[in-house]
């Protein structure tokens, strides 16, 4: 019998991928499946980006690149952050990564070890907890509550910090809730962090362009007082409909940038060269495709929430960001994961049960509205019909 080191007994999973596989399997068997499960835009990558990557290959950009990424791309990331948030970031602190997820992998590996505590949002992206536990650190959930608009509470977060806390993970706009934490709350958090200089912060801002109702994204980059301990996670997957390209970036404080770069050299070497040229075009080319996609997500957001609220037993607040509706299904009286599985197997609708995002997820269901209005309407009609059989 092979034995692996203990960490591998603790590594978790992302159930959205299992649901996607099952949905594809059912579809391949001829079932009519509508996917509101996986969090990826249904749009195609804008053609100027695709063309730039093809051209890069034709121009001979097929070899290794520097581990931290091609220089023009690191510069373009810095210029984009300056343009959008007015914050000066040196290209020397930018690491190009194979997907946004890799930044959390690297940051959690860097700060997690037995005896350390890492704070993460619950409900939240499942990989945070999985990776924290993998390192042997203690995963300390920061509750994200519906009555707080699914924003994190600065006071509650700060109250969970102990001398053992090494890393605080925050995520706004958030997966799975669509919650956006107001700037005033982030101000309070940053002010409070002055008392805890031993705590690094990982800010996952992958949905930063998906905020609605005229709101603007409040980036943690805008706080110079924590710049020496902030790791920013971002990337192209959601904003530019590039999930399968595997492209992300992070900004690291100078003292640990080299460690992150060495981790790159020791694992992925560098990101796919033509993909980096596509990413460069994404940041430096026209941005109207982004505006179009965000406008569409906004329209779908309103429609799905309206429709969900018409289903007896389901209630859903209007999310402020990302592309997820996070609805309460507790009145239906079924455990959320059981209901999610029934909806896929029997009604042909892929959704993700709240418990896949944390202990506070029971009673909730995540609906990704990165799908067409027609599909959203058909899906919620089928869900209504299915739950109508047992809803009181
Ligand atoms: N962070 C959050 C909150 C996400 O929801 C996701 C993807 O679903 C990621 C990071 C990872 O993105 P990528 O596909 O670029 O690895």
């Amino acid at each position: 019998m092979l034995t692996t080191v203990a960490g591998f007994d603790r590594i978790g999973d992302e159930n959205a991928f299992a649901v996607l596989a099952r949905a594809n399997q059912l579809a391949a068997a001829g079932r009519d499946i509508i996917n509101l499960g996986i969090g990826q835009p249904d749009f195609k990558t804008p053609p100027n980006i695709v063309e730039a990557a093809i051209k890069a290959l034709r121009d001979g950009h097929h070899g290794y690149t520097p581990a931290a990424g091609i220089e023009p791309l690191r510069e373009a990331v810095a210029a984009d952050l300056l343009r959008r948030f007015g914050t000066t970031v040196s290209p020397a602190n930018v690491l190009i990564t194979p997907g946004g997820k890799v930044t959390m992998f690297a940051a959690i590996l860097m700060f997690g070890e037995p005896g350390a505590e890492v704070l993460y949002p619950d409900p939240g992206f499942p990989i945070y907890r999985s990776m924290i536990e993998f390192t042997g650190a203690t995963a300390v959930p920061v509750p994200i509550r519906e009555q707080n608009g699914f924003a994190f509470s600065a006071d509650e977060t700060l109250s969970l910090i102990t001398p053992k806390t090494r890393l605080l993970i925050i995520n706004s706009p958030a997966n799975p809730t669509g919650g956006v934490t107001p700037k005033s709350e982030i101000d309070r958090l940053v002010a409070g962090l002055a008392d805890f200089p031993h705590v690094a912060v990982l800010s996952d801002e992958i949905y930063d362009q998906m905020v609605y109702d005229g709101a603007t994204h409040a980036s943690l980059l805008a706080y110079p007082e924590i710049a020496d301990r902030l790791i920013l996670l971002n990337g192209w997957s959601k904003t530019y409909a590039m999930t399968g390209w595997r492209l992300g970036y992070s900004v690291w404080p100078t003292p640990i940038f080299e460690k992150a770069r060495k981790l790159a050299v020791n694992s992925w070497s560098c990101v796919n060269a033509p993909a980096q040229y596509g990413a460069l075009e994404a940041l430096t080319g026209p941005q109207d495709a982004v505006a179009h996609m965000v406008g569409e997500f906004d329209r779908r957001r309103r429609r799905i929430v309206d429709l969900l609220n018409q289903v007896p037993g389901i209630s859903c607040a209007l999310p402020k960001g990302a592309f997820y509706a996070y609805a309460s299904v507790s009145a239906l009286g079924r455990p959320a994961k059981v209901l999610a599985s029934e909806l896929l197997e029997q009604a042909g609708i892929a959704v993700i049960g709240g418990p896949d995002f944390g202990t506070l997820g029971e009673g909730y269901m995540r609906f990704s509205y990165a799908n067409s209005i027609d599909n959203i309407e058909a899906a919620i009609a089928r869900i209504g019909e299915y739950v109508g059989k047992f809803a009181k």
Side-chain angles (χ1 to χ4, degrees):
M1 240 270 281
L2 290 178
T3 49
T4 56
V5 296
F8 281 86
D9 297 332
R10 296 189 298 265
I11 200 161
D13 210 342
E14 186 180 348
N15 196 35
F17 279 95
V19 171
L20 178 65
R22 179 67 184 145
N24 288 342
Q25 192 183 35
L26 290 170
R31 290 275 308 277
D32 176 17
I33 303 293
I34 302 176
N35 202 328
L36 305 184
I38 194 84
Q40 72 177 334
D42 58 319
F43 299 103
K44 287 194 170 136
T45 303
N48 59 315
I49 300 174
V50 175
E51 289 309 319
I54 294 171
K55 179 171 184 305
L57 273 180
R58 293 215 167 100
D59 291 350
H61 294 297
H62 50 73
Y64 292 125
T65 78
I70 57 172
E71 218 37 55
L73 184 55
R74 299 171 75 198
E75 283 164 14
V77 167
D80 181 59
L81 294 171
L82 179 63
R83 176 178 66 81
R84 295 194 299 123
F85 306 128
T87 328
T88 303
V89 164
S90 166
N93 294 58
V94 174
L95 182 74
I96 307 300
T97 52
K101 212 181 226 176
V102 174
T103 295
M104 64 187 79
F105 182 84
I108 296 168
L109 269 189
M110 214 178 272
F111 291 97
E113 63 179 342
E117 293 174 2
V118 179
L119 270 55
Y120 71 103
D122 180 346
F125 191 58
I127 301 307
Y128 304 141
R129 178 173 167 194
S130 165
M131 273 304 298
I132 297 165
E133 291 182 343
F134 178 66
T135 65
T138 303
V140 180
V142 176
I144 306 294
R145 298 196 168 86
E146 180 162 12
Q147 57 274 32
N148 201 27
F150 292 122
F152 61 76
S153 146
D155 289 345
E156 192 168 16
T157 306
L158 293 165
S159 76
L160 293 167
I161 295 178
T162 75
K164 292 180 180 165
T165 309
R166 300 283 293 280
L167 179 67
L168 161 65
I169 303 174
I170 59 175
N171 173 221
S172 175
N175 178 6
T177 59
V180 172
T181 300
K183 181 170 180 306
S184 54
E185 202 64 19
I186 299 177
D187 289 347
R188 283 170 71 82
L189 179 76
V190 172
L193 282 172
D195 294 337
F196 306 106
H198 62 290
V199 177
V201 180
L202 169 62
S203 183
D204 182 342
E205 303 186 11
I206 197 118
Y207 296 101
D208 67 348
Q209 304 233 28
M210 286 155 204
V211 287
Y212 307 107
D213 303 325
T216 50
H217 173 66
S219 175
L220 268 281
L221 274 182
Y223 298 85
E225 55 272 54
I226 56 162
D228 60 348
R229 50 181 160 139
L230 173 72
I231 301 154
L232 177 84
L233 180 162
N234 211 324
W236 288 261
S237 296
K238 317 286 177 176
T239 312
Y240 296 96
M242 295 174 77
T243 50
W245 291 61
R246 307 313 300 136
L247 267 171
Y249 68 84
S250 27
V251 178
W252 298 80
T254 304
I256 56 172
F257 178 85
E258 260 311 283
K259 295 182 180 174
R261 189 195 61 79
K262 284 187 192 162
L263 189 62
V265 173
N266 277 269
S267 48
W268 62 90
S269 292
C270 66
V271 172
N272 175 311
Q276 292 190 58
Y277 284 88
L280 181 59
E281 170 62 21
L283 293 185
T284 55
Q287 300 297 304
D288 31 323
V290 177
H292 169 74
M293 290 190 273
V294 174
E296 271 301 299
F297 289 140
D298 188 12
R299 220 161 61 83
R300 297 161 178 195
R301 170 181 78 117
R302 294 167 189 284
R303 188 74 185 125
I304 196 168
V305 169
D306 267 0
L307 292 170
L308 284 168
N309 283 320
Q310 289 168 31
V311 178
I314 299 185
S315 72
C316 188
L318 191 65
K320 297 189 175 72
F323 42 57
Y324 306 109
Y326 193 65
S328 169
V329 294
S330 56
L332 291 170
R334 286 266 211 290
K337 277 180 70 85
V338 171
L339 182 61
S341 159
E342 288 177 1
L343 287 175
L344 178 56
E345 299 296 330
Q346 298 183 42
I349 310 300
V351 292
I352 311 290
D356 283 334
F357 302 101
T359 49
L360 288 187
E362 189 50 87
Y364 287 92
M365 193 79 84
R366 188 191 80 174
F367 300 83
S368 163
Y369 54 85
N371 209 323
S372 67
I373 292 265
D374 284 353
N375 279 342
I376 288 169
E377 289 175 348
I380 309 304
R382 271 200 243 166
I383 291 173
E385 204 177 305
Y386 183 77
V387 304
K389 293 180 194 155
F390 61 85
K392 292 147 210 144

